[in-house]
Amino acid sequence: MDKILDNLAKEVDKIDDSKADVADAGQASMMDELLSGQEIKFPQIGDVVEGTVIEVTSNALYMDIDPFGTGIVLGREIKDGMGSGKLKAGDKISATIIDPENEDGFIELSIREASHEKAWDDIESKRDTQEKVSTKVLSANKGGLLIEVNGISGFLPVSQLSSKNYPRVEDGDKNKILALLKKLVSQELEVRVIDADRESGKLIVSEKAAQKEKDQEIISGLKIGDVVEGEISGVVDFGAFIKFFPSTVNPEEMSEEDRLEGLVHISELAWQLIENPRDVVKVGNKVQAKIIGIDNDKISLSIRALEKDPWSNIEDKYKVGDIVKGTVHKINHFGAFVYLDKDIHGLAHISEMAELFPGKNIDELIKVGEVYDWKILSIESKEHRMGLALTDKKSEKKKAEKEEKSEKKEKAEKKEKKTKKKEE
């Protein structure tokens, strides 16, 4: 045991001698500067200095800070916040002075503090140049993903995820969304920095922004009127999303990540009135759609555009003045939507109800799901609009009597005017 201890002591002496030689060399260099007559400004606490790594041990790092001497970095302060890996002899690094001279005569330094500032410099630069950054997902919450760039914690909101990773949940259940987001933890994502504030420590990144050029390059090959084939990737209250490969490329030459995604608004799902898109399409359905709009990286699609417009020949089925049967589909504050058949619907405005049935509430006159007689007041086929009025024999008779009375009154007034003219 004594022999082992003796050997260890010798090794320690060697290291101490080496450090002493290094320190002497630094002092000699400083002396040369002094003798040359140049003014030397000694660094203070908080200053950032550059130097060369001389030696790295398990709990300390020594670096040459010419012309001031030898610096030492202890313990956790060795950690390089820029994530450049392990440091080794010969590496040029920056460090912050935390003690100009410690009890052992070394300049005590912190790499971590200097690295933190360097990390923010790099992040701000990438924000300004919009350079892509690779980041690892650390954890997830209901609002998005917690990430890290250069050792700085940041956030990737759900809204800034690419179409590939965006959690499309039909019922919008936040717990289901969180479950999908958690699947991304530990994955590497390519992002762009969209907001960085050093003072507040705020860092926001976007995966969607990193995909923008790639998507736009593919989208540039599309044009309005193209028909695409894909599958429903998500259904929301305002419509459905379709993922598809552009017809201009060979799907075998593209990966799943290269699929584009477009939105079919609820009004473009079908010619009928739709209350809930989930009643019409389901996730996974294979569909065809027509491109009706392209705005940068946003693609608007239409499923109904590929179906025959039932209003195109409406004059063959219905005419103004016809009395037809119709089922009340929905009642709201301005009237009732009524289906005459599975494709054609019209609006019975509340004002027509009030005129024909004064003092009556619309809920007293009609019920959703019930069939009534309606008179067609107007047809606008291009706008897909039809005006209706609730009718029955009594109301028709009353209306006819009212119109007849009005006509008689008008004739009497005209006759009276003519008589007055003759008398004059």
Side-chain angles (χ1 to χ4, degrees), residues 11-106:
E11 292 299 320
V12 171
D13 289 340
K14 287 180 183 178
I15 293 173
D16 288 340
D17 291 341
S18 173
K19 293 173 189 174
D21 291 341
V22 169
D24 290 341
Q27 289 168 0
S29 176
M30 190 186 301
M31 185 60 69
D32 290 340
E33 294 287 347
L34 288 169
L35 292 173
S36 68
Q38 295 182 9
E39 184 180 350
I40 297 176
K41 184 180 178 182
F42 288 89
Q44 305 297 314
I45 294 175
D47 288 352
V48 176
V49 294
E50 291 187 352
T52 304
V53 176
I54 302 169
E55 182 184 359
V56 181
T57 67
S58 59
N59 60 359
L61 176 148
Y62 298 91
M63 57 185 287
D64 176 28
I65 308 171
D66 188 30
F68 306 111
T70 303
I72 186 170
V73 184
L74 298 169
R76 62 179 185 171
E77 297 299 329
I78 295 175
K79 184 180 178 184
D80 183 358
M82 290 293 289
S84 57
K86 290 183 177 180
L87 295 169
K88 60 185 184 300
D91 286 347
K92 300 282 187 182
I93 60 171
S94 297
T96 302
I97 293 178
I98 57 179
D99 187 349
E101 185 177 5
N102 67 8
E103 59 185 18
D104 294 321
F106 293 107

Side-chain angles (χ1 to χ4, degrees), residues 121-260:
D121 288 342
D122 183 65
I123 286 171
E124 289 171 351
S125 172
K126 286 180 167 62
R127 176 201 60 194
D128 297 339
T129 61
Q130 282 298 283
E131 182 183 338
K132 293 180 183 179
V133 182
S134 181
T135 184
K136 188 175 183 179
V137 179
L138 303 178
S139 62
N141 59 39
K142 292 177 182 178
L145 304 172
L146 298 176
I147 54 86
E148 188 179 71
V149 178
N150 293 350
I152 306 294
S153 296
F155 189 62
L156 199 171
V158 171
S159 61
Q160 294 299 321
L161 284 167
S162 67
S163 60
K164 174 197 169 190
N165 291 321
Y166 190 89
R168 306 219 180 274
V169 176
E170 288 197 30
D171 55 7
D173 188 318
K174 290 186 177 181
N175 290 322
K176 291 180 181 177
I177 291 173
L178 180 58
L180 291 174
L181 291 176
K182 283 183 175 178
K183 291 182 179 179
L184 298 173
V185 174
S186 296
Q187 287 191 26
E188 292 280 344
L189 300 180
E190 193 172 54
V191 300
R192 276 196 168 102
V193 177
I194 58 175
D195 193 5
D197 188 335
R198 189 185 308 221
E199 288 187 12
S200 64
K202 181 182 178 183
L203 173 60
I204 307 294
V205 301
S206 169
E207 184 191 26
K208 184 165 66 174
Q211 285 282 103
K212 194 171 182 179
E213 288 88 356
K214 186 177 181 181
D215 288 345
Q216 285 182 336
E217 184 180 348
I218 301 172
I219 289 171
S220 65
L222 302 177
K223 62 182 183 295
I224 293 174
D226 285 352
V227 176
V228 298
E229 190 168 341
E231 69 175 41
I232 303 295
S233 57
V235 184
V236 290
D237 291 339
F238 53 85
F241 292 91
I242 298 177
K243 278 190 175 181
F244 64 93
F245 286 115
S247 56
T248 53
V249 299
N250 183 358
E252 294 180 0
E253 296 176 357
M254 301 182 74
S255 67
E256 191 66 18
E257 296 179 11
D258 295 322
R259 285 205 300 177
L260 297 174

Side-chain angles (χ1 to χ4, degrees), residues 340-354:
L340 306 189
D341 57 42
K342 69 180 183 68
D343 296 315
I344 305 300
H345 64 274
L347 172 66
H349 200 273
I350 192 74
S351 60
E352 294 292 338
M353 300 268 192

Side-chain angles (χ1 to χ4, degrees), residues 315-332:
E315 289 81 4
D316 297 337
K317 299 171 70 176
Y318 303 107
K319 291 180 173 56
V320 173
D322 286 354
I323 305 296
V324 294
K325 298 282 185 186
T327 305
V328 178
H329 175 72
K330 183 181 180 183
I331 299 173
N332 56 32

